[in-house]
Amino acid sequence: MIILGIETSCDETAAAIVEGKNNQSRVKLLSNVIASSIDIQAKYGGVVPEQAARQQLKTIIPVIKGALQEARCKPKSIDAIAVTCGPGLIGSLLVGVETAKTLSLVWNKPLISVNHLLAHFYASWLTDRIPLFPYIGLLASGGHTDLLLFKNHNQYQYLGGTRDDAAGECFDKCARLLGLSYPGGAQLAQLAEKGDSTAFEIPRPMIGSKNFDFSFSGLKTAVSNLISSQPGLLLESGSQRANLAAAIEAAIVEVLITKTLSAIQTYQVNQIILAGGVAANQKLRQQFKLILKSCQLKINFSVPPLNLCTDNAAMIATCAFYNFKPINPLLLQANPNLSLA
Ligand code: KG4
Ligand code: ZN
């Protein structure tokens, strides 16, 4: 089974082709093409929906052609088309959804509609060892922070999520307060490498709450207040900026890990899967591994390769492979508010 995946939920236009045999084996990634309008968006300090949609329109066809070429595939060898139907920016989503519907009708191929959030977990299904159910999945991306218990592919229980800002959004907003450009998560992490995380006290919102919910807006506000209460803090010396970045990163990482550990203590699982752009954070990856080792927990830990943590179409095609449920192309509609809850 060869699946063409299409992803256009935000500012990345992506197409990828995967090939798989059955539910018990991993799929093979034949191509993975991504065009990003992030450089254009960075000028505005965030994503301008109209701009992102216009860039999607410009790049969608070349990106799909690129994915076919890279995989050395002709349209006739594609068995199905998978597309992100939500959540995301409506203008961006529509470009992918309408393109996929058209290709499905013209090429006469089944169409599978994919929830972008669920698909993030399928980046881990592209690693060497396929995950073992049941597992706890932590999705930490720019727009979402969700904790789930997966019993099977299409059988999951929503445990909790953020009540306000997402972990990635918190990274980005704090990065902006530190004078870094959008999206600042990776830059903040880079700055934090040289910093001392104990130099500042940053709150860990809801870390002790008896549920699996998160809240990050207070953390961002605390950083904002700290910077305004100490004029010149960021100008004093480079090290204070790095220290603050390290303290912010440590706080976000500690909250994410504490909640996930609490979930594995509550539910009997074989594995933890980290997903979403924030899963690219090295501190988060290292700390998770260290803690699981020090607690001697016999739980597999799976995190996608860095290029598959952030938005891509390989995860869309893979999610469709393991959740193969074609729908009538004429009935598919983009849903910007789709959730996992
Ligand atoms: O999953 P993703 O590509 O897009 C959404 O679906 O939201 O996630 C993007 C988010 C951004 O907030 C970005 O700053 C964050 O992931 N991110 C990171 C790192 N790399 C990307 N955050 C912290 N550390 C990183 N290394
Ligand atoms: Zn995403």
Side-chain angles (χ1 to χ4, degrees):
M1 165 90 59
I2 296 184
I3 301 183
L4 164 68
I6 298 173
E7 152 66 36
T8 66
S9 64
C10 188
D11 53 358
E12 267 99 20
T13 315
I17 298 180
V18 302
E19 182 174 21
K21 282 198 181 102
N22 55 48
N23 260 9
Q24 270 67 53
S25 60
R26 66 186 280 264
V27 300
K28 202 165 136 197
L29 186 56
L30 303 184
S31 68
N32 188 25
V33 176
I34 305 177
S36 171
S37 67
I38 226 154
D39 293 346
I40 299 173
Q41 312 302 332
K43 287 188 208 146
Y44 304 95
V47 179
V48 180
E50 277 295 320
Q51 277 272 9
R54 246 177 279 146
Q55 288 305 315
Q56 297 281 3
L57 262 183
K58 275 192 197 158
T59 44
I60 185 77
I61 299 298
V63 164
I64 292 174
K65 276 189 176 164
L68 287 165
Q69 269 164 13
E70 197 178 296
R72 294 171 194 277
C73 255
K74 293 260 185 299
K76 67 170 189 298
S77 37
I78 300 287
D79 295 301
I81 298 168
V83 65
T84 299
C85 63
L89 302 171
I90 186 64
S92 290
L93 283 170
L94 279 172
V95 175
V97 166
E98 295 307 316
T99 306
K101 282 160 79 168
T102 309
L103 291 179
S104 155
L105 291 165
V106 174
W107 292 347
N108 195 22
K109 309 284 177 189
L111 181 65
I112 296 128
S113 149
V114 175
N115 179 331
H116 176 94
L117 305 177
L118 183 64
H120 264 297
F121 295 104
Y122 282 87
S124 270
W125 288 76
L126 284 156
T127 54
D128 293 340
R129 260 198 314 184
I130 64 168
L132 273 177
F133 290 113
Y135 60 74
I136 292 290
L138 170 68
L139 171 66
S141 71
H144 296 84
T145 306
D146 294 311
L147 205 51
L148 295 107
L149 167 65
F150 283 89
K151 296 174 185 160
N152 211 324
H153 286 291
N154 45 19
Q155 208 189 333
Y156 64 81
Q157 186 181 332
Y158 184 81
L159 303 180
T162 184
R163 294 189 177 176
D164 38 61
D165 291 359
E169 187 179 356
C170 185
F171 263 110
D172 293 342
K173 287 179 174 169
C174 290
R176 197 181 162 130
L177 292 168
L178 289 173
L180 301 167
S181 62
Y182 175 84
Q187 293 177 59
L188 187 147
Q190 203 184 355
L191 183 61
E193 278 172 24
K194 294 174 237 123
D196 169 9
S197 63
T198 60
F200 291 98
E201 247 179 63
I202 303 294
R204 275 105 168 114
M206 291 187 79
I207 199 162
S209 68
K210 303 257 170 290
N211 56 31
F212 300 111
D213 283 345
F214 301 81
S215 164
F216 289 104
S217 72
L219 197 160
K220 166 201 67 191
T221 308
V223 172
S224 169
N225 290 343
L226 186 88
I227 293 173
S228 19
S229 69
Q230 296 184 35
L233 170 75
L234 301 180
L235 301 173
E236 272 169 25
S237 71
S239 65
Q240 281 297 65
R241 243 173 120 234
N243 289 345
L244 186 51
I248 295 165
E249 180 180 52
I252 300 174
V253 164
E254 193 180 329
V255 173
L256 292 174
I257 294 183
T258 306
K259 291 280 170 167
T260 311
L261 288 182
S262 151
I264 60 168
Q265 277 151 6
T266 312
Y267 302 96
Q268 281 257 316
V269 290
N270 291 316
Q271 183 143 6
I272 295 174
I273 292 191
L274 268 193
V278 179
N281 184 275
Q282 291 301 337
K283 188 99 195 164
L284 180 66
R285 295 160 89 105
Q286 287 159 5
Q287 292 280 103
F288 249 121
K289 284 182 196 155
L290 268 175
I291 288 174
L292 289 174
K293 203 169 162 195
S294 68
C295 299
Q296 295 186 323
L297 288 166
K298 290 213 172 0
I299 287 192
N300 292 342
F301 175 69
S302 170
V303 62
L306 291 181
N307 66 324
L308 297 180
C309 287
T310 44
D311 289 350
N312 63 84
M315 66 187 198
I316 305 300
T318 307
C319 181
F321 176 80
Y322 291 107
N323 300 273
F324 198 84
K325 247 205 207 149
I327 63 158
N328 179 346
L330 298 177
L331 299 182
L332 177 60
Q333 281 193 333
N335 179 357
N337 301 319
L338 196 65
S339 80
L340 285 171

